[in-house]
Amino acid sequence: MVLERPKSLRELALVHLRNSIIDGSLKMGQTLSERSISEELGVSKSPVREALAQLRDEGLVSIEPQKGARVFSLTDEEVTQICDFRQAIETAAFELALSRDPEGLAKAMQHVVDNMARERAAGNEKAYLALDTAFHQLIFEHAGNDYLTASYTRYVGKIAALRTHLAKLPQHTELSFDEHQGIARAVHEGDMQVIRSLLAEHIDRTRQAYKSSTVVLESAISE
């Protein structure tokens, strides 16, 4: 029997805060109080401070002297850069995955898409979004390149948090699910040209949707 090593207080705080940012419990731009977090988790400020420093390195938190910490926020330009990054790195990973393990990737993606359909039908948004993240991580798992995986993993939390933010927009999840189905079919057929086209469309819609989301948010605030 293999015993699981207990998480340190820093790890507990890190996982809690990261998950809260990704699932939207902590909103973009929200101020974070070390005291409140430490009281909520029943730990001292030290592990919370260490966790916030780690999240800063992951791009999920910003920390300014005399102003403290807050959840990241994004400009349109930053979202464009994230989308450019995803387009480049996911395309490269897809090409490797299709050359090295096409059957394994196709089977794994279809399994995730089937689970996405089930969770979507059940109205379980949180589980659906977690599967959305898992879908894209499969590309790197089957590409077999540690450097690509490490580069993507560094920003996967921010990408997932952005995904949660956009899920509130009308029809966004429906359109996203259709695109995932199309990509999974193209992977099954081994058609990299179609994958490249669908991936570009899928990621570019993130760029456009974020611009729409800021307009919707500003309208809601002004009402």
Side-chain angles (χ1 to χ4, degrees):
M1 178 179 179
V2 178
L3 296 177
E4 183 178 350
R5 181 176 64 86
K7 287 185 173 66
S8 67
L9 295 179
R10 171 192 170 279
E11 288 174 315
L12 288 172
L14 178 61
V15 170
H16 170 76
L17 289 169
R18 185 191 288 124
N19 289 342
S20 295
I21 293 171
I22 289 174
D23 69 18
S25 299
L26 294 173
K27 307 299 182 184
M28 283 189 185
Q30 182 174 335
T31 300
L32 300 171
S33 164
E34 288 183 9
R35 176 181 295 179
S36 297
I37 296 168
S38 63
E39 290 176 352
E40 178 186 357
L41 298 179
V43 300
S44 68
K45 289 184 181 180
S46 180
V48 173
R49 192 174 299 119
E50 292 173 1
L52 289 172
Q54 173 63 37
L55 292 172
R56 177 190 57 196
D57 293 342
E58 295 177 16
L60 290 174
V61 165
S62 63
I63 302 176
E64 298 181 38
Q66 280 73 55
K67 291 186 178 180
R70 64 175 61 246
V71 179
F72 80 99
S73 56
L74 293 169
T75 64
D76 287 347
E77 175 58 28
E78 288 171 320
V79 172
T80 293
Q81 291 188 31
I82 289 173
C83 291
D84 289 345
F85 168 75
R86 288 189 58 196
Q87 183 68 48
I89 197 169
E90 291 188 36
T91 299
F94 255 129
E95 290 176 344
L96 286 176
L98 281 182
S99 68
R100 294 174 176 174
D101 188 19
E103 292 183 4
L105 178 62
K107 182 177 180 180
M109 282 196 158
Q110 188 57 54
H111 178 70
V112 171
V113 166
D114 290 343
N115 287 336
M116 290 172 79
R118 185 184 68 249
E119 298 298 346
R120 179 167 170 260
N124 193 340
E125 182 181 273
K126 185 176 180 179
Y128 175 88
L129 292 172
L131 288 165
D132 191 331
T133 296
F135 180 92
H136 290 275
Q137 287 178 309
L138 286 173
I139 310 169
F140 298 90
E141 291 175 14
H142 292 267
N145 186 294
D146 292 341
Y147 291 91
L148 282 176
T149 300
S151 297
Y152 182 78
T153 300
R154 180 175 181 182
Y155 300 104
V156 69
K158 179 174 280 190
I159 293 168
L162 177 59
R163 188 174 286 126
T164 298
H165 175 77
L166 297 179
K168 307 302 179 184
L169 293 176
Q171 293 189 306
H172 183 81
T173 299
E174 179 181 349
L175 293 171
S176 176
F177 179 65
D178 290 344
E179 289 159 0
H180 284 92
Q181 286 183 307
I183 291 171
R185 283 195 297 270
V187 170
H188 179 73
E189 295 166 2
D191 194 330
M192 188 61 213
Q193 184 174 350
V194 172
I195 291 171
R196 189 179 290 106
S197 176
L198 290 173
L199 187 63
E201 180 181 347
H202 181 62
I203 294 175
D204 188 60
R205 199 166 55 76
T206 293
R207 191 188 336 251
Q208 300 304 320
Y210 187 76
K211 293 180 181 179
S212 299
S213 74
T214 57
V215 172
V216 170
L217 180 59
E218 289 169 358
S219 299
I221 293 173
S222 64
E223 291 178 354

